[in-house]
Amino acid sequence: MGKISVVGIGTGNLDEMTPKARKAIESAEVVAGYNTYIKLIEKILVGKKIIGRAMMQEVERSQLAIQEALSGRNVAVISSGDAGVYGMAGLVLEMILNLPEENRPQFEIIAGVSAVNAAAAILGAPLMHDFAIISLSDLMTSWELIKRRVSSAAQSDFVIALYNPKSKRRTTQLAEVQKILLEFRDKNTPVGIVTNAGREGESKTISTLENFIQEEVNMFSLVIIGNSQTFVKDNFMITPRGYDL
């Protein structure tokens, strides 16, 4: 019986990948992942069997990866960021646990640097107090539920990080989120936008709740909305923890 490691590759920048994640990938005989993420780390995949698939083919590539492990191979299933944050860890683990116990391959989840952590470091220190992460993708979650979660987080004064904020198909959701947030937060609340964190073309923008939807935002962006205490100084976002200075 082989082994499956579900690995968070972080931003895709090899310098920012954890040593444990890189070791797991380098020691794997088979690597499975979304084609875009495979390309990011292709330098360390030479000589390996690659199971690369497009978006929305997660179940198929997970099944193929498990089959490879059941045949005795060492397999790495990769996710960008952290595998357990909107990544592949849950799906692969569910599929393995559905197998009879005696037929399960060895299994390990290896953490990576999540997009929210990478983006926060670029913006300064916006996550120093309680925060919520919400994906605006409605592929597997209803838009009504997403809006309720945004509203609840806004009322509770969480710093809010938005994954999947916009796509070619989803062009109006960010404005709807802004409208909800403005019910509970000042229009001058700082909002940070990081695109391609840790990758080629990285950009950082700090705006306000009133104006941030006018900025360039896409599927490679992460948006962080401050709480009532968050402030901006010298182009850095800071959410105070509460220390006396």
Side-chain angles (χ1 to χ4, degrees), residues 36-149:
T36 298
Y37 304 149
I38 291 286
K39 187 172 179 59
L40 289 173
I41 60 168
E42 59 187 359
K43 290 181 180 179
I44 60 172
L45 302 182
V46 177
K48 302 182 187 302
K49 180 176 179 178
I50 304 299
I51 301 173
R53 292 293 186 275
M55 190 72 77
M56 302 303 296
Q57 295 180 317
E58 291 85 0
V59 173
E60 178 188 351
R61 68 172 181 261
S62 297
Q63 290 172 333
L64 292 171
I66 291 171
Q67 289 172 12
E68 292 284 348
L70 291 173
S71 69
R73 294 182 177 86
N74 187 356
V75 181
V77 177
I78 65 168
S79 289
S80 67
D82 181 89
V85 181
Y86 303 119
M88 296 296 293
L91 174 60
V92 177
L93 181 56
E94 282 189 72
M95 294 173 74
I96 288 175
L97 294 180
N98 282 336
L99 297 172
E101 188 170 355
E102 64 274 14
N103 293 336
R104 296 172 187 168
Q106 297 181 61
F107 182 82
E108 183 178 18
I109 299 170
I110 299 176
V113 178
S114 179
V116 70
N117 300 117
I122 293 164
L123 291 169
L127 303 182
M128 290 301 297
H129 219 303
D130 300 334
F131 64 95
I133 300 174
I134 301 172
S135 171
L136 298 192
S137 172
D138 58 358
L139 288 174
M140 289 179 281
T141 306
S142 75
W143 181 238
E144 290 305 313
L145 177 55
I146 292 170
K147 288 195 293 183
R148 290 203 302 273
R149 289 174 174 171

Side-chain angles (χ1 to χ4, degrees), residues 212-225:
F212 82 100
I213 61 170
Q214 299 170 22
E215 305 292 345
E216 178 64 31
V217 177
N218 58 46
M219 277 294 289
F220 297 102
S221 302
L222 192 135
V223 178
I224 297 182
I225 299 141

